[in-house]
Amino acid sequence: MTIKCVLFDFSGTLFRVESTGSWLRAVLAEAEVALPEEELTRKAADLEAVGALAGGAAPARALPTELAELWRRRDESAASHRAAYTGASRQVPLPDPALHEALYDRHMRPAAWRPYPDAAEVLAALRGRGVAVGVVSNIGWDLRPVFREHGLDAYVGAYVLSYEHGIQKPDARLFAAACEALGVAPEDTLMVGDDRRADGGAAALGCAVHFVDHLPAAARPDGLRPVLDLVD
């Protein structure tokens, strides 16, 4: 098959969110709230365990009943996304209740995200070969400013975000919307992601699928480069 388009997932594929410790530390500093280092480390570990950082670790334990259904559909709207993640965060007591909203706001800032080391190189190479590039993400907020801030927006021809469509991966309709936006057929499209269930949904539409490992950016310096071999 000839690949004419590559669709990428966002978190864990092209970008990696900061660590939970860095996330909490940044919000505390901005709010001028001081915690002893040992307590800060413990709070960060507790927040990670409940999956409070969007783009970070999944919850390590069962969510409360009142959160479970909201969590399952969290990427279908901005309101659900915020409610799910602040709800998870509120399972961990913090010095000021307002910090839970501040934590959510922090994760949407470009400074909270870092592109994988080879992301710019791979996106530029694809565009140089005339291959269309799109981003398909389960998310509850506009990630376009993250791409602009890190200089990757110029390579992306379309963004298809779950909260803007009211559906989330693995629903094939989201991938179909991306193919339509870019004017390509699914059978000429490769979906690249880190989630075998969510991103693997593109296969039902007829897309080829390639998976990468969701690792810290420094630990995955060249995980995207094999994509270039798949479009030769």
Side-chain angles (χ1 to χ4, degrees):
M1 67 187 292
T2 300
I3 297 298
K4 299 177 182 178
C5 171
V6 180
L7 304 177
F8 290 92
D9 173 52
F10 168 56
S11 175
T13 300
L14 289 176
F15 281 83
R16 171 77 180 206
V17 74
E18 65 188 331
S19 70
T20 311
S22 170
W23 174 58
L24 176 59
R25 194 180 300 276
V27 168
L28 292 174
E30 189 167 306
E32 299 182 343
V33 174
L35 286 180
E37 188 63 27
E38 183 178 340
E39 184 178 359
L40 190 155
T41 300
R42 186 171 63 253
K43 293 289 186 186
D46 290 345
L47 287 165
E48 183 159 325
V50 299
L53 174 57
R61 54 179 184 255
L63 294 166
T65 303
E66 65 273 14
L67 261 183
E69 177 59 19
L70 178 63
W71 188 268
R72 188 178 71 83
R73 302 172 66 92
R74 66 191 182 278
D75 296 314
E76 292 182 2
S77 74
S80 295
H81 196 269
R82 179 180 283 272
Y85 282 102
T86 56
S89 174
R90 287 190 177 95
Q91 295 181 76
V92 179
L94 295 175
D96 181 348
L99 290 170
H100 297 289
E101 295 290 344
L103 283 168
Y104 185 85
D105 292 340
R106 164 71 189 182
H107 102 277
M108 295 187 289
R109 296 181 185 175
W113 295 88
R114 178 182 173 189
Y116 279 92
D118 55 347
E121 171 194 338
V122 170
L123 293 179
L126 290 173
R127 290 301 296 269
R129 296 180 188 182
V131 176
V133 171
V135 172
V136 183
S137 177
N138 279 352
I139 198 166
W141 49 276
D142 187 4
L143 52 71
R144 295 171 182 87
V146 176
F147 280 77
R148 287 197 293 269
E149 181 70 21
H150 291 281
L152 301 186
D153 181 62
Y155 305 123
V156 180
Y159 296 91
V160 177
L161 312 181
S162 61
Y163 84 102
E164 294 181 338
H165 292 261
I167 50 177
Q168 57 188 24
K169 298 180 290 186
D171 194 316
R173 290 177 294 171
L174 209 61
F175 305 106
C179 291
E180 183 178 354
L182 291 165
V184 294
E187 57 269 25
D188 296 328
T189 300
L190 171 68
M191 175 66 204
V192 180
D194 67 297
D195 187 320
R196 278 165 170 73
R197 177 181 176 275
D199 300 311
L205 193 66
C207 302
V209 181
H210 175 74
F211 297 108
V212 295
D213 295 322
H214 190 155
L215 295 171
R220 210 195 75 194
D222 53 8
L224 291 169
R225 289 198 180 103
V227 172
L228 298 179
D229 296 328
L230 296 174
V231 299
D232 281 344

